[in-house]
Amino acid sequence: MAWDAWGSQENRRPLTAHTRSVLRSILGITAQDEPPKSEHDVRLRPSTLTGDSIQALATIVGVDHVTTDDAVRILHLGGKSTIDLLRRRNDEVHQAPDAVVFPAGRTDIESLLAFCSDNSIAVVPFGGGTSVVGGLDPVREWFDDVIAVSLRRMRGMTDLDTVSRTATFQAGVTGPEAEEMLGRHGLTLGHFPQSFQYATIGGFAATRSSGQASAGYGRFDDMVQALTVVTPIGTVEPGRTAPASAAGPDIRQVFLGSEGTLGIVTDVTVRARELPETTTYRAWRFDDFAAGAEAFRVLAAVSSRPTVMRLSDETETGINAAMSESSVVDASHGGCLAITTFDGSAEDVAARMSVAESILVHGGAHPVDEAAARAWEHGRFDGPYLRDALLDVGALAETLETATNWSRLTHVRSAVTSALTESLRGAGTPPVVLCHISHVYETGASLYFTVVCAAAADPITQWRDAKAAATDAMIAAGATLTHHHAVGRDHRDWMVQEIGPVGAAVLRAIKSAVDPAGVLNPGKLIP
């Protein structure tokens, strides 16, 4: 991806005149586009690695696969949150890793971690670079040196069992690459998060990712059968090819979601599904969010639920319709847009659609043109590009998410919306806060918030204060810190409140056991 934006430079999408007019009318934003900062003007902290250390790293991975070149270091500054991108627009000296290393596989990583542990060099595992919670920051408070370990050379499918429908991928395989490899055999993972085009199999496992089709295919951690994880004290291979086990606590769960703080994931065995024979699309309008959420609650409890279930609140429905120059949803009708899709055989899809339509109509849904669902799918990976374009014209735009039980859903949505509104209004920039249900479960759902407002003179502090207020509101309302964005650096200060002091002690003890020198992704996850 580009060093200062989501995706590639050629895919940047400047705002249309229509969108600019909406921004002016709603938020009073009239700023002109900022010219992009040239990477040649960026100042990086000079590499502090000694010649001996560079030589040792080169001996492990090969001289062509370790570099201190600024053009490579700048691509590994961190992730792609709004704060990350705002920082890169500043004239400050950036804390880049001292070197970037490209191992070829497990053996290289075992040697790398042994060397770095012995020599107190911090290690940041780097997959697709899509973190939006500070999970890739090259934190060096406790270390003089820090390297990024890129997994981009590890991009193969090393095993496929078409009878059991399981596949083993190296950690650097991207979402599209995995789908292409499986597709040759009539299979799919069905895992399509917004980061799909760039994020990696290892990253999905390390962050317990959840895709937009999770109602049908499940979360990524549900798919994982086994892992190979390299730690500074050795390699662990939790999980088995057996579908389930009662052999004590499931050690896979220690490393799923560990965000590179306990080891580097090198291989992941996942279950796959047959490619769907057909996909059918349906869109609906509810009079209000409460009615839509209640219908989704009922539908989420049935085994024949849709593959995708997504419900936008009144504000998100209205704003999206207003910003689209060819919207198929009439915003004048108000209410909330719901998207459902169904994957499977023609017979299975027809049966599930019948059940879903009965439940949704009984819950107050009105069918609208299915083109709304197709339009959502067509643009479902484009949100970050719009965020970047908004930043270019002086708008602060960011997302955050949580999850809670159905009984708390309305309260959590209200509490987080109020916290964001009050914080940003206090900065003199009344925001627009959008929300949608992005993933559903029998017991609850994920709420995904998008915030847009005029940027203040210090937008980094502006957003940090708003994010802190929203996170406090989540915790107070009984919701989780994060449903799928992970913890990283941004959420770490709330982890004791999330898991309790005993849970925090367990995490610290595991960290101490497998990473005694503390070199693995310091400053993230572990409270």
Side-chain angles (χ1 to χ4, degrees):
M1 291 196 288
W3 73 278
D4 62 342
W6 185 267
S8 58
Q9 294 279 3
E10 57 268 25
N11 286 331
R12 284 187 172 179
R13 297 172 172 85
L15 297 180
T16 65
H18 176 73
T19 300
R20 290 171 190 267
S21 70
V22 174
L23 288 175
R24 282 194 298 271
S25 63
I26 295 177
L27 297 173
I29 296 173
T30 58
Q32 299 300 310
D33 294 68
E34 289 184 18
K37 190 180 184 71
S38 169
E39 61 186 278
H40 302 295
D41 297 327
V42 176
R43 295 181 297 155
L44 302 184
R45 183 185 190 274
S47 175
T48 58
L49 275 178
T50 66
D52 287 345
S53 291
I54 294 171
Q55 179 58 48
L57 295 172
T59 299
I60 294 170
V61 299
V63 68
D64 293 333
H65 303 299
V66 57
T67 181
T68 59
D69 184 63
D70 284 356
V72 180
R73 294 171 66 215
I74 198 174
L75 295 174
H76 296 81
L77 285 173
K80 298 297 187 192
S81 71
T82 286
I83 287 181
D84 291 328
L85 301 187
L86 288 170
R87 269 203 210 104
R88 288 166 208 172
R89 295 162 187 255
N90 293 341
D91 293 326
E92 63 187 60
V93 176
H94 296 280
Q95 297 295 316
D98 295 301
V100 183
V101 183
F102 301 88
R106 167 180 163 177
T107 301
D108 283 359
I109 293 177
E110 289 172 339
S111 298
L112 279 173
L113 292 191
F115 173 78
C116 291
S117 185
D118 289 344
N119 291 274
S120 295
I121 299 173
V123 175
V124 179
F126 202 99
T130 62
S131 172
V132 292
V133 291
L136 300 174
D137 290 357
V139 175
R140 61 172 73 244
E141 277 93 332
W142 307 276
F143 300 93
D144 293 330
D145 305 314
V146 56
I147 65 171
V149 175
S150 171
L151 304 178
R152 76 177 190 185
R153 292 177 68 202
M154 300 167 54
R155 294 166 79 167
M157 182 169 69
T158 58
D159 186 67
L160 177 65
D161 181 343
T162 56
V163 176
S164 305
R165 292 199 296 270
T166 63
T168 301
F169 293 101
Q170 291 183 301
V173 172
T174 66
E177 288 169 344
E179 286 300 312
E180 194 276 330
M181 293 177 196
L182 288 173
R184 297 176 202 160
H185 304 276
L187 298 172
T188 179
L189 284 181
H191 187 69
F192 304 106
Q194 194 169 66
S195 61
F196 168 75
Q197 294 168 310
Y198 299 97
T200 61
I201 292 291
F204 293 152
T207 59
R208 294 171 69 184
S209 174
S210 188
Q212 294 167 340
S214 65
Y217 291 100
R219 294 168 57 94
F220 192 78
D221 46 350
D222 298 330
M223 303 176 187
V224 174
Q225 303 292 298
L227 297 163
T228 300
V229 186
V230 178
T231 80
I233 65 167
T235 297
V236 60
E237 298 180 279
R240 294 287 185 271
T241 54
S245 172
D250 190 347
I251 303 302
R252 283 177 305 178
Q253 297 301 326
V254 172
F255 294 98
L256 288 169
S258 59
E259 302 182 28
T261 63
L262 304 179
I264 297 181
V265 176
T266 63
D267 302 271
V268 184
T269 300
V270 289
R271 63 114 173 100
R273 300 277 179 84
E274 291 184 1
L275 278 170
E277 176 185 308
T278 187
T279 298
T280 303
Y281 303 83
R282 290 291 184 270
W284 312 85
R285 185 182 65 82
F286 287 92
D287 291 340
D288 55 58
F289 186 78
E294 173 59 17
F296 267 37
R297 181 190 70 82
V298 176
L299 183 54
V302 302
S303 60
S304 56
R305 61 177 173 263
T307 307
V308 171
M309 293 175 61
R310 182 183 178 96
L311 173 69
S312 295
D313 71 1
E314 293 89 344
T315 304
E316 182 167 285
T317 299
I319 292 292
N320 285 345
M323 290 182 64
S324 173
E325 297 181 60
S326 58
S327 176
V328 296
V329 177
D330 186 352
S332 65
H333 288 165
C336 301
L337 177 66
I339 298 297
T340 57
T341 74
F342 301 81
D343 285 359
S345 67
E347 182 180 1
D348 173 64
V349 164
R352 288 161 55 211
M353 281 177 50
S354 177
V355 172
E357 289 178 0
S358 175
I359 291 172
L360 295 175
V361 170
H362 185 265
H366 309 280
V368 298
D369 192 335
E370 70 177 52
R374 293 180 181 274
W376 166 80
E377 185 178 80
H378 178 74
R380 63 178 169 171
F381 304 131
D382 294 345
Y385 291 103
L386 175 59
R387 183 272 311 261
D388 293 359
L390 289 169
L391 291 177
D392 288 340
V393 299
L396 181 70
E398 186 56 299
T399 62
L400 65 159
E401 42 73 45
T402 185
T404 191
N405 287 346
W406 289 112
S407 60
R408 294 190 180 117
L409 196 76
T410 299
H411 174 59
V412 170
R413 172 173 166 260
S414 176
V416 174
T417 300
S418 295
L420 289 166
T421 301
E422 291 167 13
S423 174
L424 293 168
R425 180 184 289 130
T429 56
V432 172
V433 181
L434 296 69
C435 181
H436 65 261
I437 290 176
S438 58
H439 306 78
V440 299
Y441 305 88
E442 289 187 45
T443 58
S446 169
L447 292 171
Y448 191 97
F449 297 87
T450 301
V451 188
V452 184
C453 65
D458 181 1
I460 291 178
T461 298
Q462 179 189 20
W463 177 247
R464 278 183 175 150
D465 290 346
K467 177 70 178 287
T471 306
D472 286 340
M474 291 174 190
I475 293 291
T480 183
L481 277 176
T482 173
H483 171 262
H484 58 270
H485 280 174
V487 175
R489 200 176 183 186
D490 293 0
H491 297 145
R492 191 184 65 155
D493 289 347
W494 286 271
M495 274 296 283
V496 174
Q497 291 171 269
E498 173 86 7
I499 64 176
V502 174
V506 170
L507 271 184
R508 294 184 193 117
I510 296 172
K511 172 75 169 175
S512 179
V514 300
D515 182 19
V519 297
L520 280 167
N521 213 9
K524 324 302 178 356
L525 178 64
I526 312 294

